[in-house]
């Protein structure tokens, strides 16, 4: 079994609101602004404290099953993001 890994682990908690403000991203729902993000991870390895992204259609099936706390995506993928992410 392959070991899961992250690209980045935060030494301090960042919220989605902080990340959205810093990057110019728009939250799909303002109620998620206080969600804490602790790492950046690949879409398949992401956990509830992870931020991931999608920009390639070959990962849409992985998006449907991601456990990420949040995903950065373009408007063409918004409808594919699971509820709660």
């Amino acid at each position: 079994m392959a070991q899961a890994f992250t690209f980045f682990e935060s030494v301090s908690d960042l919220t989605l609101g902080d990340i959205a403000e810093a990057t110019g991203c728009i939250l799909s729902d303002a109620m998620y602004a206080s969600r804490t993000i602790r790492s950046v991870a690949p879409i398949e390895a992401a956990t509830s404290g992870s931020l991931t992204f999608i920009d390639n259609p070959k990962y849409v099936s992985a998006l449907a099953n991601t456990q990420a706390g949040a995903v950065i995506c373009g408007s063409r993928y918004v409808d594919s993001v699971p509820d709660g992410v």
Side-chain angles (χ1 to χ4, degrees), residues 19-66:
I19 294 167
E21 184 177 332
T23 61
C25 290
I26 299 168
L27 296 176
S28 63
D29 190 325
M31 75 177 213
Y32 296 121
S34 63
R35 181 174 284 179
T36 301
I37 297 298
R38 294 183 181 91
S39 65
V40 177
I43 200 164
E44 303 92 344
T47 64
S48 62
S50 300
L51 175 67
T52 193
F53 74 95
I54 184 169
D55 190 44
N56 186 324
K58 79 178 191 176
Y59 293 102
V60 171
S61 62
L63 177 60
N65 298 309
T66 191

Side-chain angles (χ1 to χ4, degrees), residues 2-27:
Q3 184 175 10
F5 66 94
T6 59
F7 294 117
F8 169 80
E9 290 191 28
S10 177
V11 293
S12 64
D13 293 341
L14 293 172
T15 65
L16 284 178
D18 297 333
I19 294 167
E21 184 177 332
T23 61
C25 290
I26 299 168
L27 296 176

